[in-house]
Amino acid sequence: WTTCECKNLIYKEDLLSNLKCCPKCGAHHKLSCKERFDIFFDNKEYELIETPLPKDDPLKFQDNKKYTDRLKSARKITKQDDAVLIAKGKVKNIEVVVGAQDFRFIGGSFGAASGEAFIAGIQKSIENNIPFIFFSCSGGQRMMESSIALMQMSRTTLAVNELKKKNIPYIVILTNPTTGGVTASWAMLGDILIAEPKATIGFAGRRVIQDTVRETLPEEFQTAEYVKEHGGIDLVIERKFLNSTIGSLLNVLLKKAEAQVKKESSNVTVDQSLQSAS
């Protein structure tokens, strides 16, 4: 047995067979990176992409526990080097590069290693001229790395800009939670922003905002549905429909990109003809 936020008991087998979504209240429970890839890629077929791993603990950080000890513990739990994994596979027979975050790895926090992995994923996407898709699940930047972690916000934003220059589709799926510096950088820059139902999406925490504005916030404040209603994201899609929905969106975006390339090529040809004639 296991429990859900709705306080109902659920058979673990029922939860797993329902893609880790509560069969009683519909709550979408967190997934590991590999669980996410298994659900998302066609036929569970994908290839993990090796990404750079910077030096651990460059600041020798320690609070009530050494940062190196936190890393060892997180690596033991998740069986991965950092919070982000990148993989290449197909969605509805369209080749894509996909990234995901594991919340069990220090709250999915985004540090130097996560930044390197994200940028490596974008480089792979550009090299192969295929879409880049990312599943966010994070409390924000990793404060044990201080300004090194904060620097990843600008680095990832610049990397996303390179994708946009190449007219390569970039889709972000915001899962529960997506907050802090992740929301303030790459997570909200997708060509299309999709969220899983009831996911928490925001920058500052609810209590911080409430104490600042000194007003009572709506119960549904910072939920995916609330953010969509106020224009912050495009779609709220259940986990079981993500593969088919994103496959359809990619078909549209890729045709649009192809048409744009043809138009630009045609304009260049016309300009060259005019120059030759003159």
Side-chain angles (χ1 to χ4, degrees):
W1 292 94
T2 187
T3 56
C4 177
E5 60 190 39
C6 65
K7 299 181 180 177
N8 281 307
L9 283 172
I10 314 161
Y11 275 124
K12 283 186 178 178
E13 287 182 10
D14 290 345
L15 188 66
L16 291 172
S17 64
N18 202 36
L19 307 182
K20 278 200 172 178
C21 298
C22 176
K24 296 180 181 179
C25 73
H28 284 48
H29 291 227
K30 294 179 181 69
L31 297 171
S32 70
C33 295
K34 289 183 180 178
E35 285 173 334
R36 178 69 68 182
F37 295 154
D38 285 342
I39 289 170
F40 188 62
F41 283 112
D42 294 348
N43 306 316
K44 299 184 180 181
E45 294 175 359
Y46 58 88
E47 167 200 354
L48 288 176
I49 295 170
E50 191 173 339
T51 59
L53 187 64
K55 182 182 177 183
D56 287 346
D57 195 15
L59 304 178
K60 310 296 180 190
F61 187 90
Q62 181 173 347
D63 42 37
N64 61 347
K65 192 175 180 181
K66 286 183 179 179
Y67 178 39
T68 49
D69 290 340
R70 292 187 187 278
L71 288 171
K72 284 176 189 174
S73 175
R75 284 167 180 164
K76 186 177 180 181
I77 293 166
T78 61
K79 304 289 190 295
Q80 55 191 64
D81 292 328
D82 202 72
V84 173
L85 278 187
I86 305 291
K88 182 173 174 284
K90 290 184 178 181
V91 174
K92 291 299 174 188
N93 216 32
I94 298 169
E95 280 201 356
V96 292
V97 175
V98 179
Q101 292 176 292
D102 192 328
F103 195 78
R104 297 174 302 165
F105 202 108
I106 314 179
S109 52
F110 207 89
S114 294
E116 291 296 337
F118 185 92
I119 292 167
I122 284 188
Q123 286 173 335
K124 193 78 172 176
S125 178
I126 291 172
E127 285 168 12
N128 293 274
N129 195 31
I130 56 178
F132 187 57
I133 299 166
F134 207 99
F135 290 86
S136 64
C137 184
S138 176
Q141 304 309 108
R142 189 171 300 167
M143 290 297 95
M144 297 84 160
E145 295 183 18
S146 188
S147 57
I148 295 171
L150 293 173
M151 189 169 64
Q152 306 311 313
M153 293 170 68
S154 56
R155 293 184 75 225
T156 52
T157 300
L158 289 168
V160 170
N161 193 48
E162 291 303 309
L163 271 183
K164 293 182 183 288
K165 283 181 186 176
K166 305 282 185 185
N167 284 328
I168 296 173
Y170 171 50
I171 296 176
V172 182
I173 299 91
L174 307 144
T175 75
N176 186 44
T178 299
T179 57
V182 163
T183 311
S185 56
W186 56 265
M188 301 304 285
L189 297 176
D191 301 313
I192 297 175
L193 299 175
I194 300 170
E196 290 188 332
K198 299 179 184 177
T200 297
I201 301 167
F203 177 63
R206 180 190 177 95
R207 283 178 298 176
V208 172
I209 295 170
Q210 193 156 286
D211 289 345
T212 303
V213 300
R214 299 187 184 280
E215 289 183 17
T216 303
L217 299 171
E219 188 64 33
E220 69 278 11
F221 183 71
Q222 289 188 330
T223 63
E225 292 76 9
Y226 183 91
V227 176
K228 177 182 177 293
E229 187 181 332
H230 290 78
I233 60 175
D234 301 300
L235 297 165
V236 177
I237 303 291
E238 288 182 51
R239 187 172 288 166
K240 61 185 175 183
F241 298 124
L242 285 172
N243 175 282
S244 58
T245 301
I246 290 174
S248 300
L249 290 170
L250 288 175
N251 267 311
V252 173
L253 290 172
L254 290 171
K255 283 177 183 175
K256 187 177 179 182
E258 187 181 343
Q260 181 68 22
V261 169
K262 284 181 180 178
K263 184 180 177 182
E264 288 173 0
S265 176
S266 175
N267 288 341
V268 169
T269 304
V270 170
D271 288 342
Q272 288 174 343
S273 299
L274 290 171
Q275 286 173 3
S276 298
S278 62

